[in-house]
Amino acid sequence: MRAVRGRYPLYGSIATQPPGALDPAALAAAPRLVVHPDVARQLGLAPGDRVKLGELELEVSALLVPG
């Protein structure tokens, strides 16, 4: 797990499915959970599913697109 704040990544780009999950405006509006496809497959997760991390419950907003 990696928590990020502000602009991420510092250079280059990360693709997600659906696109735009790591858009700075989207990140500022609410916390986002983006999951690696291998982890999503192992845990049976898809965008829209809810995941509890400790006391925090987040919705999976996207999957990373391997590049």
Side-chain angles (χ1 to χ4, degrees):
M1 185 168 81
R2 176 170 291 178
V4 296
R5 189 179 296 238
R7 183 161 163 70
Y8 181 83
L10 297 177
Y11 56 89
S13 64
I14 294 177
T16 61
Q17 186 57 41
L22 295 175
D23 176 72
L27 290 173
R32 299 289 176 137
L33 183 61
V34 178
V35 180
H36 190 281
D38 292 342
V39 174
R41 192 175 318 104
Q42 289 174 359
L43 298 176
L45 296 174
D49 290 346
R50 298 201 62 80
V51 175
K52 190 164 186 174
L53 300 170
E55 297 296 317
L56 183 63
E57 187 173 319
L58 296 169
E59 182 177 319
V60 175
S61 59
L63 301 178
L64 290 173
V65 175

